[in-house]
Amino acid sequence: MTGAEWWDLVPERYRERPEFAYVGDDRSLPRVLLLGDSISMSYTVPVRRLLAGVAAVHRAPTNCRSTRQSVSELGDYIGDGNWRVIHCNWGIHDITQSDDTGACQVSVDEYGRNLEGLFSRLLATGATLIWASTTPVQEGTPKRSGADVVRYNLVAEKIVRARGIVVNDLYSLVVSCLTSLQPTQNVHFTDYGAQILADQVARSIRDALRVPTAPPSAACG
């Protein structure tokens, strides 16, 4: 993808954000794609830094939000393929509750169906696929429930295990120290929390590329 093609896909509101900078390819490096919502946006830049000289780390040209949105937009996200590793996550938007009914934006049954379709298309690229579990939320977080995070993660994990997809368990990584990484009742993390996530994402990608794993630069606690 050329720079002009990239900027045509990036929404104007994201064009000044560093995670959406155009990334060219180095023919000597494997191509890696990050797919996901704003949680993945927060760790994109530190993952690129951690994998400098190891991989060319790209991301989707927008916030992937829910599985429903991604089903319709996946072609723009993956482009012409040729990916060695694709690291993906969906969930935080799917579980967002309606102001009117309190129901999740995407039902758990639709979530499972959408994931099946997304994984089929991603695996067809020939890339090694890594699924990251949805990160926890504190109780009292507006429009989200911690119980729904667990419920949707269980559905996703059953699907990925059956397909032999690699699991990057970000949920377990942060659940015991959530309040230190996500100090307000919000789904987003501090810069330090984003670095914690980035360390594990980068390690999972290094493992998939069979590259020796560097020691973590931050620790949860």
Side-chain angles (χ1 to χ4, degrees), residues 3-187:
E5 290 169 332
W6 170 256
W7 292 118
D8 281 344
L9 294 172
V10 177
E12 187 172 354
R13 67 184 180 277
Y14 291 144
R15 291 180 181 175
E16 299 302 317
R17 295 182 60 131
E19 59 266 42
F20 291 101
Y22 173 67
V23 175
D25 284 313
D26 180 337
R27 292 180 180 273
S28 68
L29 297 177
R31 301 177 79 232
V32 171
L33 178 63
L34 303 179
L35 299 180
D37 50 40
S38 55
I39 303 300
S40 77
M41 288 162 56
S42 73
Y43 60 65
T44 294
V45 171
V47 166
R48 284 181 179 149
R49 184 170 59 249
L50 290 165
L51 295 179
V54 174
V57 179
H58 302 252
R59 70 156 289 112
T62 189
N63 181 341
C64 300
R65 295 166 58 194
S66 72
T67 55
R68 185 181 295 158
Q69 173 184 325
S70 294
V71 165
S72 64
E73 297 184 358
L74 190 63
D76 287 339
Y77 301 168
I78 62 177
D80 58 5
N82 193 30
W83 302 104
R84 280 279 300 280
V85 176
I86 299 175
H87 182 282
C88 63
N89 163 258
W90 293 275
I92 285 291
H93 280 263
D94 295 80
I95 68 166
T96 302
Q97 297 163 354
S98 165
D99 288 331
D100 296 328
T101 66
C104 293
Q105 178 184 127
V106 176
S107 73
V108 72
D109 290 338
E110 182 189 349
Y111 180 68
R113 292 193 302 272
N114 290 345
L115 284 180
E116 291 279 14
L118 289 165
F119 292 150
S120 291
R121 293 169 66 186
L122 293 173
L123 289 168
T125 68
T128 297
L129 188 56
I130 304 171
W131 169 75
S133 55
T134 299
T135 48
V137 298
Q138 298 180 53
E139 290 308 318
T141 297
K143 298 186 179 182
R144 268 96 170 189
S145 161
D148 283 334
V149 174
V150 172
R151 190 161 59 101
Y152 279 54
N153 272 339
L154 287 172
V155 168
E157 185 172 3
K158 182 177 180 179
I159 294 169
V160 299
R161 297 285 188 193
R163 287 175 171 263
I165 295 169
V166 178
V167 175
N168 178 14
D169 192 359
L170 294 182
Y171 180 92
S172 294
L173 173 70
V174 302
V175 68
S176 64
C177 54
L178 179 61
T179 55
S180 67
L181 305 181
Q182 193 189 82
T184 59
Q185 290 174 325
N186 191 299
V187 300

